[in-house]
């Protein structure tokens, strides 16, 4: 422990920073093929994804300044080729790739091979204008290296016949598509140089897909064209098609027909000569710009390693992570508040006047029912007592006495006659029996 100094002790932040610089400076740019998974595109415009194969995976980030150049929408499960640099997301210590460009796997691999060969040959100086031979001002014989059944050959012959019928043409037939095409094209160029029959060669074919034109991006063809002692015009595909052969050739023509016009003469041959020189100048400028672009790309790469955008990208990625956490926290807070509100609503409903009123109405109905029951019981008891008293009363009732054979006599005023002195002759008397009354007159 005594040998340790403050210089030997790392903080976590310093360690992650050192590892990031080590990864970025040592590895540089890498090309990687993999399958997209966990693709996400937050509101910041950056892309986050995982590239994987059957055995491993790596996290990736592609910032919006670069993903704007991607011509397709990435999706999970898609195989892609990416150009990226290794880095480290310092806040979490995650090893990741920062993607600069992305292409579908098939086209991407061809484009990668194209770019790699282009940079390799440019670095060797094969594209330099000093390596190019000028075209003869008045060609004596034109050689054509293409398919003898292709439309390109007939277009070239038609233009030469129309513009300069006396110009001799020698065709060196070859296949211009497939695995054997590159070797046969290189052999045809070699054969034309060994025979020394022509003073200019047209090498090309008609338009097609990137795969169709791929033999003209072959290193063998490129080096054979560069080594040719006979000036070569590259005439591959349409004007928008660009191949390695175009950069190496002494002249590029946008189409096979245009190549035929370059080597033929008509009444405006001086204008054609001027246009050829103009094209030479444009071609030279193109190659110069291309070489300067490669140099600038290297300088930009060196600048990127020290550029503040690296820190900005790290911070931007951290903002995206914080945004996700904020959304999650807000969602949890809203859920908890919603739960608490539901509890308060339930308690409020328990204290609602309507509920209490219903409870009081129910209590009143129960009390009313108990009162009715009590009154009915009271009434029954009273009726029972009344019956008992009626029976007792009946035992001492005059009517009961009458039922035993006695009678009651009253005068017309209703007074009971108990003595003889109470009546006189002619009085009307009423005698009450148990089953009625008898009216009589005193004689």
């Amino acid at each position: 422990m005594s040998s340790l100094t403050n210089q030997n002790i790392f903080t976590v932040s310093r360690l992650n920073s050192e590892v990031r610089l080590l990864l970025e400076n040592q590895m540089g740019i890498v090309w990687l093929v993999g399958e997209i998974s966990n693709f996400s595109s937050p509101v910041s415009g950056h892309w986050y994804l995982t590239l994987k194969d059957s055995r491993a995976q790596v996290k990736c980030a592609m910032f919006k300044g670069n993903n704007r150049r991607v011509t397709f929408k990435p999706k999970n499960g898609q195989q892609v080729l990416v150009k990226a640099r290794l880095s480290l997301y310092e806040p979490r210590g995650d090893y990741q790739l920062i993607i600069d460009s992305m292409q579908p796997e098939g086209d991407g691999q061809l484009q990668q091979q194209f770019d790699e060969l282009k940079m390799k040959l440019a670095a060797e100086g094969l594209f330099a204008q000093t390596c190019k031979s000028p075209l003869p001002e008045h060609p004596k014989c034109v050689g054509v290296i293409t398919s003898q059944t292709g439309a390109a050959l007939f277009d070239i012959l038609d233009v030469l016949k129309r513009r300069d019928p006396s110009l001799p043409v020698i065709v060196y037939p070859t296949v211009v598509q497939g695995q054997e095409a590159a070797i046969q094209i290189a052999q045809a160029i070699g054969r034309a140089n060994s025979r020394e029959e022509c003073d200019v060669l047209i090498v090309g074919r008609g338009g097609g897909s990137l795969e169709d034109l791929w033999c003209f991006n072959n290193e063998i063809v490129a080096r054979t064209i560069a080594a040719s002692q006979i000036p070569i015009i590259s005439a591959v595909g349409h004007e928008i098609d660009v191949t390695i052969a175009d950069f190496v050739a002494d002249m590029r023509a946008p189409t096979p027909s245009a190549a035929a016009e370059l080597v033929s003469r008509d009444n405006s041959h001086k204008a054609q000569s001027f246009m050829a020189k103009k094209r030479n100048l444009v071609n030279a400028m193109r190659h110069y710009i291309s070489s300067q672009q490669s140099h600038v790309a290297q300088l930009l790469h060196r600048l990127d390693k020290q550029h503040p955008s690296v820190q900005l990208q790290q911070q931007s990625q951290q903002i995206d992570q914080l945004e996700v956490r904020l959304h999650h926290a807000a969602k949890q807070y809203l859920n908890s508040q919603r739960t608490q509100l539901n509890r308060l609503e339930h308690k409020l409903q328990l204290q609602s006047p309507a509920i209490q009123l219903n409870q009081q109405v129910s209590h009143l109905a129960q009390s009313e029912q108990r009162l009715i029951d009590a009154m009915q019981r009271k009434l029954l008891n009273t009726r029972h007592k009344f019956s008992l008293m009626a029976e007792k009363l009946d035992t001492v009732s005059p009517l009961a006495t009458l039922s035993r054979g006695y009678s009651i006599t009253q005068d017309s005023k209703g007074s009971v006659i108990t003595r003889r002195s109470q009546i006189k002759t002619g009085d009307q008397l009423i005698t009450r029996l148990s089953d009625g009354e008898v009216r009589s007159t005193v004689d």
Side-chain angles (χ1 to χ4, degrees):
M1 293 295 294
S2 60
S3 62
L4 287 177
T5 65
N6 290 336
Q7 299 296 326
N8 302 123
I9 301 175
F10 280 75
T11 63
V12 176
S13 300
R14 179 187 167 195
L15 175 64
N16 284 354
S17 178
E18 293 287 343
V19 171
R20 180 181 66 80
L21 292 175
L22 184 64
L23 285 173
E24 292 178 352
N25 293 334
Q26 294 297 322
M27 293 297 296
I29 298 297
V30 297
W31 291 87
L32 187 69
V33 173
E35 177 185 331
I36 295 177
S37 65
N38 301 321
F39 178 81
S40 65
S41 178
V43 294
S44 62
H46 307 320
W47 290 352
Y48 301 102
L49 58 130
T50 300
L51 283 180
K52 64 178 184 178
D53 56 22
S54 60
R55 299 175 58 186
Q57 64 182 17
V58 61
K59 291 183 178 180
C60 306
M62 189 172 192
F63 299 104
K64 64 180 180 180
N66 291 325
N67 62 34
R68 288 174 179 170
R69 299 193 297 268
V70 178
T71 58
F72 64 97
K73 181 64 175 178
K75 57 185 179 180
N76 290 330
Q78 185 176 14
Q79 289 283 339
V80 293
L81 172 72
V82 300
K83 178 184 178 183
R85 54 185 171 84
L86 284 173
S87 184
L88 185 83
Y89 182 48
E90 294 183 24
R92 287 203 312 266
D94 284 347
Y95 150 74
Q96 65 178 4
L97 285 177
I98 304 300
I99 298 176
D100 293 333
S101 65
M102 178 186 297
Q103 303 175 57
E105 180 183 6
D107 293 345
Q109 288 180 337
L110 292 180
Q111 187 63 44
Q112 178 192 3
Q113 296 174 23
F114 179 91
D115 292 340
E116 289 177 350
L117 181 58
K118 179 182 174 183
M119 293 182 64
K120 176 181 178 181
L121 298 181
E124 294 180 15
L126 268 66
F127 300 166
Q129 192 63 30
T130 55
C131 297
K132 301 184 182 302
S133 302
L135 299 182
E137 187 174 355
H138 303 292
K140 299 178 181 179
C141 181
V142 176
V144 180
I145 298 176
T146 188
S147 171
Q148 60 183 353
T149 59
L153 176 60
F154 295 101
D155 291 342
I156 292 172
L157 295 178
D158 284 344
V159 171
L160 294 178
K161 181 179 180 181
R162 172 173 52 83
R163 292 171 57 86
D164 195 353
S166 62
L167 181 62
V169 178
I170 299 176
V171 178
Y172 301 92
T174 177
V175 295
V176 290
Q177 182 176 336
Q179 296 182 351
E180 302 297 328
I183 297 297
Q184 291 195 24
I185 293 171
Q187 291 174 345
I189 296 173
R191 190 163 53 252
N193 275 268
S194 63
R195 293 182 181 178
E196 298 181 351
E197 301 169 315
C198 309
D199 49 4
V200 65
L201 288 173
I202 298 175
V203 179
R205 55 155 291 163
S209 66
L210 183 61
E211 291 83 356
D212 295 338
L213 306 179
W214 193 247
C215 58
F216 293 95
N217 293 319
N218 187 283
E219 184 174 359
I220 295 176
V221 172
R223 293 191 180 280
T224 304
I225 292 175
S228 175
Q229 298 300 312
I230 302 175
I232 292 180
I233 300 174
S234 175
V236 181
H238 302 296
E239 187 169 0
I240 60 173
D241 298 320
V242 178
T243 65
I244 297 296
D246 296 332
F247 293 108
V248 181
D250 300 294
M251 174 69 69
R252 176 188 181 258
T255 62
S257 297
E261 291 180 357
L262 287 174
V263 299
S264 57
R265 295 171 296 178
D266 61 1
N267 294 332
S268 58
H269 64 277
K270 293 183 179 180
Q272 290 291 337
S273 176
F274 173 77
M275 291 302 296
K277 292 179 180 179
K278 177 181 177 181
R279 276 188 286 269
N280 281 334
L281 178 60
V282 171
N283 201 30
M285 290 299 298
R286 182 185 293 114
H287 292 309
Y288 175 76
I289 291 173
S290 177
S291 63
Q292 291 302 307
Q293 286 176 339
S294 299
H295 181 61
V296 169
Q298 293 174 356
L299 294 177
L300 286 176
H301 176 63
R302 291 171 56 190
L303 180 62
D304 284 342
K305 294 179 181 179
Q306 308 298 329
H307 201 280
S309 65
V310 175
Q311 292 295 327
L312 293 176
Q313 289 172 356
Q314 294 271 351
Q315 294 173 1
S316 178
Q317 189 171 354
Q318 188 174 11
I319 289 173
D320 290 334
Q321 297 293 332
L322 293 174
E323 180 184 1
V324 172
R325 291 172 56 188
L326 176 62
H327 284 310
H328 181 68
K331 185 176 180 181
Q332 285 186 327
Y333 176 76
L334 289 176
N335 288 337
S336 66
Q337 292 299 307
R338 191 176 291 111
T339 302
Q340 184 177 1
L341 179 61
N342 291 337
R343 286 200 302 268
L344 293 175
E345 287 181 349
H346 180 65
K347 292 176 64 176
L348 182 61
Q349 288 176 357
L350 293 178
Q351 302 298 325
S352 172
I355 295 177
Q356 294 185 2
L357 181 60
N358 290 336
Q359 292 175 347
Q360 294 298 323
V361 169
S362 176
H363 180 68
L364 179 61
Q366 293 175 358
S367 299
E368 181 182 5
Q369 185 62 42
R370 288 197 300 270
L371 179 61
I372 292 173
D373 293 343
M375 291 179 66
Q376 288 179 348
R377 288 193 300 271
K378 183 68 174 177
L379 182 60
L380 288 175
N381 292 334
T382 303
R383 283 178 179 174
H384 181 64
K385 291 180 181 180
F386 178 76
S387 297
L388 294 175
M389 294 177 67
E391 289 178 359
K392 291 180 181 181
L393 183 62
D394 188 55
T395 58
V396 295
S397 174
L399 296 177
T401 304
L402 293 177
S403 64
R404 293 196 297 269
Y406 295 95
S407 64
I408 299 174
T409 302
Q410 297 172 311
D411 60 16
S412 59
K413 294 180 180 179
S415 301
V416 177
I417 305 299
T418 59
R419 294 184 304 275
R420 184 174 180 277
S421 60
Q422 290 179 264
I423 61 174
K424 63 183 182 292
T425 302
D427 287 344
Q428 297 290 326
L429 302 176
I430 301 172
T431 303
R432 294 186 181 277
L433 304 175
S434 63
D435 58 350
E437 63 181 23
V438 176
R439 293 180 182 273
S440 61
T441 306
V442 177
D443 292 333

